[in-house]
Amino acid sequence: MNVENICILTGRLSKATECRYTSSNKAVCSFSLAVKNGKDRDGKNLSVFIPCVAWGKTGELIDQYFNKGDPITVVGKIIPRSYEGKNGKGYITEVIVSDFTFPLARKTPDSEPAPVDAFKDYEDVEGELPF
């Protein structure tokens, strides 16, 4: 069985995207994705906030088309890394985004939005999906 590091997340941007450019003029877009994570004992929704990074054209498109609170589905890899900061060495785990989609189709004046199948392009070659 061939195992890969692939994650698919659907959530909402918890703040505005931050798009910067490297010295070689490559775009890097950072954002935090709020994803539902069950409910607490009082029935209130719980969320986790997942840091995400998108490079190149993918990052530029996310920065251009998404704002705080917008829903988005991202596909990427979970990557842990360390960094040196003013308080010493730190660690972070991020999703490096390779693709994205709008989780809901755009509304037309006389229709309701329809959900988009986030798995439509995923080929289940080895029968790994549980559905």
Side-chain angles (χ1 to χ4, degrees):
M1 181 162 103
N2 190 9
V3 179
E4 288 189 54
N5 176 358
I6 297 173
C7 69
I8 301 171
L9 300 168
T10 298
R12 293 184 178 272
L13 292 180
S14 63
K15 58 184 177 180
T17 59
E18 295 176 27
C19 195
R20 305 171 305 285
Y21 289 85
T22 65
S23 58
S24 61
N25 207 30
K26 187 169 186 175
V28 57
C29 179
S30 301
F31 56 96
S32 180
L33 190 62
V35 178
K36 288 182 182 179
N37 193 33
K39 296 186 182 231
D40 66 11
R41 285 189 268 180
D42 298 325
K44 293 182 183 174
N45 288 328
L46 297 172
S47 294
V48 292
F49 297 88
I50 300 170
C52 299
V53 177
W55 289 85
K57 191 67 173 170
T58 301
E60 289 177 325
L61 289 170
I62 290 171
D63 186 56
Q64 180 180 355
Y65 289 105
F66 293 90
N67 298 304
K68 178 181 177 180
D70 286 347
I72 185 173
T73 297
V74 299
V75 177
K77 293 183 176 196
I78 301 170
I79 304 292
R81 67 178 175 87
S82 62
Y83 63 92
E84 285 291 332
K86 55 186 165 187
N87 296 327
K89 195 168 192 174
Y91 299 91
I92 188 167
T93 300
E94 303 168 309
V95 172
I96 306 301
V97 176
S98 58
D99 201 4
F100 71 93
T101 186
F102 298 87
L104 296 176
R106 298 280 186 203
K107 253 187 176 180
T108 60
D110 53 344
S111 71
E112 290 296 314
V116 174
D117 182 1
F119 295 97
K120 72 179 172 69
D121 295 327
Y122 184 83
E123 187 177 347
D124 187 17
V125 177
E126 298 179 8
E128 296 174 348
L129 292 179
F131 47 88

